[in-house]
Amino acid sequence: MKVIGLCLAAVLAASSFVASAETFERVELDKDRTSVQYAGPIKSITKALEGYRWLGQTADMNGGVVFKPYANEKFGKNDTETGGAIMVTAIFYLYDKPVKEAVMVARQSQIPGFVEFYSLDSRELQLHIRMVGDNTFQAFSSDDQYRNPAKNLMTYKKVGQFNQSPYKDQLKSAEESGMWY
């Protein structure tokens, strides 16, 4: 029995090393590329993401994101920026509280195997996502973070609900804190 346990531990250690040693490349794509050009992979990822709560937990973060379908009324109108865009609404959470909502355009990422989602209002807000099974996705927050995946690759898991903030009981109203005169 000890031999089986030792073998299992060795296999798990080797598989985690292989996963953390994964390297990513970057390819140059047209900066004006549209969703329609890569509609197959984009639609499969958006359909897998939409309607679920995705929890990302690291030492720095305890929150997540919910993706909802977005009806692009300008779709097919080539004279507009969003005419060829598959879009979603992303609602970002800190613990169980929504903190930001953004309409995001989906297009092929310059990191092969990933789909880029960038905010229509601010291209700095982006996620480069790939699905890892039905209940997990991995993401970079920009297309240049692929160089250091051990530090920058985030993992999100599908959950029924987000975690409650442990600080809820510590918050006081303005009157209780003395800020109210």
Side-chain angles (χ1 to χ4, degrees), residues 22-27 29 33 38 40-42 44-46 49 106-117 126-132 136-143 145-147 149 152-156:
E22 185 175 7
T23 58
F24 298 94
E25 302 289 322
R26 181 178 169 163
V27 295
L29 297 174
R33 64 194 176 277
Y38 305 93
I42 292 170
S44 74
I45 287 185
T46 57
L49 294 173
R107 66 180 184 172
Q108 182 63 41
S109 174
Q110 292 186 345
I111 308 167
F114 286 74
V115 170
E116 174 184 356
F117 292 87
Q126 35 178 295
L127 282 174
H128 296 258
I129 296 175
R130 75 172 177 179
M131 295 303 297
V132 183
T136 305
F137 76 79
Q138 292 179 321
F140 289 107
S141 60
S142 73
D143 64 357
Q145 291 189 337
Y146 71 94
R147 294 181 190 110
N152 297 319
L153 188 61
M154 302 173 288
T155 300
Y156 289 78

Side-chain angles (χ1 to χ4, degrees), residues 2 8 37-38 46 58 76 81-82 85 91 106 108 122 127 138 140 151 154 156 165 168 174 179:
K2 288 182 181 180
L8 183 60
Q37 296 167 304
Y38 305 93
T46 57
T58 66
E81 178 186 357
T82 59
I91 305 165
Q108 182 63 41
S122 170
L127 282 174
Q138 292 179 321
F140 289 107
K151 179 180 177 191
M154 302 173 288
Y156 289 78
S165 172
K168 225 177 234 182
M179 296 299 290

